[in-house]
Amino acid sequence: EELAHQARRVVAYPAERVVLDLEHMDSPSSDAVDVLANSILAALRYGQDVVLVRCPEELYRSLRQSGVRAEIQHAASLTAATQGV
């Protein structure tokens, strides 16, 4: 429930880019993947760019299976994702 709350806050925040550091989400539950996928899709619908930082390959595959098919940017660090801002 906390993840869902935080995800809604991220998407609702008026920004051009949503940056998600996923380094520590090695094996999330299917519910967590669904919440994350829905948040990413909502951000894309609002016209926000989505950048996944250090996203594990398994998680990325799970997101794709959950419907995230759009062009998503990947970055190796928060600095790279935010261009140092």
Side-chain angles (χ1 to χ4, degrees):
E1 188 170 305
E2 178 64 22
L3 177 62
H5 174 72
Q6 293 299 326
R8 284 191 297 273
R9 286 184 58 211
V10 167
V11 172
Y13 186 76
E16 290 180 25
R17 175 179 291 169
V18 174
V19 177
L20 301 169
D21 187 348
L22 303 173
E23 178 179 21
H24 299 292
M25 290 192 73
D26 291 325
S27 52
S29 69
S30 60
D31 288 341
V33 171
D34 288 343
V35 167
L36 190 55
N38 287 333
S39 299
I40 290 169
L41 293 170
L44 293 169
R45 278 194 302 276
Y46 287 123
Q48 296 170 306
D49 293 328
V50 176
V51 182
L52 305 180
V53 177
R54 298 181 286 249
C55 182
E57 184 63 32
E58 180 181 335
L59 174 56
Y60 183 69
R61 281 194 301 270
S62 295
L63 290 170
R64 300 286 290 176
Q65 291 171 351
S66 293
V68 177
R69 305 253 192 276
E71 190 72 26
I72 301 293
Q73 299 175 41
H74 295 268
S77 69
L78 287 172
T79 302
T82 61
Q83 299 168 345
V85 178

